[in-house]
Amino acid sequence: RLPGPPYQFMDRVVEVDHPKFVLQKGGWIEAHYDVPPQEWYFAANRQTSMAYCILLEAALQPCGWLAAYAGSALRSQQDVKFRNLGGTARLIKEVFPHAGTMRMRVRMTDVNEAGGMIIENFDMQVYLGDELIYDGTTYFGFFSAQALAKQVGVRDAAERTYTPTPSEWQSFTPVSIPVVHPMTPKDNLVTPAPSANMPGKALLMMDQVDIFLPHNGGTKGLGFIQGSKIVDPEEWFFKAHFYQDPVWPGSLGLEAFLQLLRYAALSYWPQYTETHRFEPIAVGMEHTWAYRGQVIPSNKKVVVDCSIVKKEESPHPLLLGSGFLRVDGTPIYEMTNFGLRLVPNS
């Protein structure tokens, strides 16, 4: 099951070098996505280039198509769910509204079956014309509903998560992140803002900053930020992702982490809000994510922790963060070396 509009980012499959309904390692397939210059996510991100979560989905969705084409779900007598489990990738070049057609090439590099589960590994590449702009590896799993219900989360996360002291909590008053247009993917209004800003509600994945320690805390003592969001079962993305299987897209969980970095960067460098903008994720820097659980409509609250592990000043200010996403207290996502850079307006 691929996501539906407005979170579907592949239009057609133009090349297949893999046998149909044969679950094995195989050749490359190629899918295309025609980038609409006025598409909702450019306005929602309130930045000039494509948001990271959109580019990541465009890279991952052909993996889901290939998994189905290879007959993965036909191996089970019961209904199975398809979930991304993690990956490592790097952004080489940003995607702007008039980019034209994105070419996504993926191949299945390994497949393993055990205990009613299937784990599949993929190479993924995204091109504009002949230019490689996003490159990485990823892996997915097919699981029964019973297996997904046993959500144990990321092991050892508690030992690797910074815990603010009581005095640190008392030193910070939670800050609500402004809710501005566009409110939904169908909202045509955009609230004016400086070039470096926070997203509109349609793409905003954090309700508030719970605590921000700009000069201490975190795993390296460089800073720590935590944000939270109340789960709204009526939000648009549950209906789009997936049909008969509503789940918070993992890519939007990663976007929540990057949005905390955006808030931190705006606090560190307010002098750049009018002259700079954000890259969707730091260009050229390898980043890694891992998912060991899911956010579903019946969940109540998502909390994201981010430790600043690197901070660079001008001419291109950079924050590098690592941390976890927790749902109702269980750590289910881990983000490692996610970078965000401020670059001058072009």
Side-chain angles (χ1 to χ4, degrees), residues 174-202:
V175 176
S176 296
I177 299 176
V179 176
V180 298
H181 293 281
M183 297 293 182
T184 69
K186 294 182 179 180
D187 184 2
N188 293 321
L189 298 177
V190 180
T191 302
S195 55
N197 56 63
M198 298 297 289
K201 170 62 175 170

Side-chain angles (χ1 to χ4, degrees), residues 35 38 65 72 106 108 136 152 160 223 255 314 321:
V35 179
Q38 304 298 323
W65 186 93
S72 304
V106 304
M108 193 181 300
V152 298
R160 295 182 286 123
E255 194 67 33
S314 58

Side-chain angles (χ1 to χ4, degrees), residues 110-156:
D110 199 12
V111 56
N112 292 282
E113 297 181 76
M117 298 181 292
I118 305 174
I119 306 297
E120 299 171 353
N121 295 71
F122 297 85
D123 287 338
M124 57 181 184
Q125 299 175 342
V126 180
Y127 292 83
L128 286 177
D130 294 327
E131 184 177 11
L132 180 65
I133 64 163
Y134 189 69
D135 182 36
T137 61
T138 187
Y139 58 114
F140 288 81
F142 283 87
F143 305 95
S144 67
Q146 293 87 343
L148 288 175
K150 301 172 183 177
Q151 187 156 283
V152 298
V154 179
R155 300 185 187 280
D156 303 323

Side-chain angles (χ1 to χ4, degrees), residues 2-83:
L2 291 174
Y7 214 59
Q8 180 183 357
F9 307 121
M10 56 179 288
D11 293 325
R12 56 194 173 274
V13 178
V14 300
E15 177 186 327
V16 178
D17 183 17
H18 191 102
K20 187 175 183 179
F21 295 160
V22 178
L23 190 58
Q24 65 181 30
K25 295 186 289 185
W28 293 92
I29 73 161
E30 181 170 322
H32 288 179
Y33 174 56
D34 300 325
V35 179
Q38 304 298 323
E39 190 65 331
W40 68 270
Y41 47 74
F42 288 114
N45 196 37
R46 302 207 297 171
Q47 297 293 288
T48 55
S49 62
M50 179 181 285
Y52 170 74
C53 59
I54 308 301
L55 178 60
L56 179 61
E57 280 292 326
L60 294 177
Q61 289 178 14
C63 298
W65 186 93
L66 177 54
Y69 187 84
S72 304
L74 304 179
R75 313 285 285 197
S76 175
Q77 295 301 310
Q78 58 181 325
D79 189 30
V80 288
K81 313 291 187 181
F82 188 57
R83 296 289 186 267

Side-chain angles (χ1 to χ4, degrees), residues 67-307:
Y69 187 84
S72 304
L74 304 179
R75 313 285 285 197
S76 175
Q77 295 301 310
Q78 58 181 325
D79 189 30
V80 288
K81 313 291 187 181
F82 188 57
R83 296 289 186 267
N84 187 229
L85 297 176
T88 297
R90 64 188 176 109
L91 176 64
I92 302 168
K93 185 176 181 180
E94 296 177 83
V95 179
F96 294 94
H98 294 281
T101 299
M102 289 167 47
R103 300 170 47 228
M104 294 85 74
R105 293 180 61 81
V106 304
R107 65 176 174 181
M108 193 181 300
T109 58
D110 199 12
V111 56
N112 292 282
E113 297 181 76
M117 298 181 292
I118 305 174
I119 306 297
E120 299 171 353
N121 295 71
F122 297 85
D123 287 338
M124 57 181 184
Q125 299 175 342
V126 180
Y127 292 83
L128 286 177
D130 294 327
E131 184 177 11
L132 180 65
I133 64 163
Y134 189 69
D135 182 36
T137 61
T138 187
Y139 58 114
F140 288 81
F142 283 87
F143 305 95
S144 67
Q146 293 87 343
L148 288 175
K150 301 172 183 177
Q151 187 156 283
V152 298
V154 179
R155 300 185 187 280
D156 303 323
E159 291 79 5
R160 295 182 286 123
T161 301
Y162 181 75
T163 302
T165 65
S167 62
E168 286 173 334
W169 279 110
Q170 293 171 5
S171 70
F172 187 85
T173 301
V175 176
S176 296
I177 299 176
V179 176
V180 298
H181 293 281
M183 297 293 182
T184 69
K186 294 182 179 180
D187 184 2
N188 293 321
L189 298 177
V190 180
T191 302
S195 55
N197 56 63
M198 298 297 289
K201 170 62 175 170
L203 206 55
L204 185 64
M205 300 307 296
M206 289 279 92
D207 291 340
Q208 73 172 27
V209 175
D210 301 326
I211 188 171
F212 179 37
L213 307 173
H215 305 299
N216 62 297
T219 56
K220 293 192 175 183
L222 295 176
F224 176 82
I225 185 168
Q226 180 190 97
S228 60
K229 178 177 172 64
I230 301 301
V231 177
D232 178 1
E234 299 302 317
E235 283 207 87
W236 63 267
F237 48 77
F238 281 123
K239 298 176 178 64
H241 183 281
F242 302 98
Y243 176 65
Q244 296 182 339
D245 181 22
V247 63
W248 187 330
S251 56
L252 289 181
L254 304 185
E255 194 67 33
F257 188 86
L258 289 167
Q259 288 172 13
L260 287 181
L261 286 177
R262 276 166 79 161
Y263 180 92
L266 291 170
S267 300
Y268 284 128
W269 299 294
Q271 69 271 27
Y272 293 128
T273 56
E274 300 283 355
T275 59
H276 287 57
R277 63 174 180 84
F278 290 113
E279 292 176 341
I281 193 168
V283 170
M285 301 190 71
E286 191 171 87
H287 52 277
T288 298
W289 67 95
Y291 302 140
R292 295 298 180 267
Q294 57 187 349
V295 181
I296 57 177
S298 59
N299 287 133
K300 303 303 181 185
K301 187 177 183 180
V302 168
V303 175
V304 178
D305 298 314
C306 173
S307 291

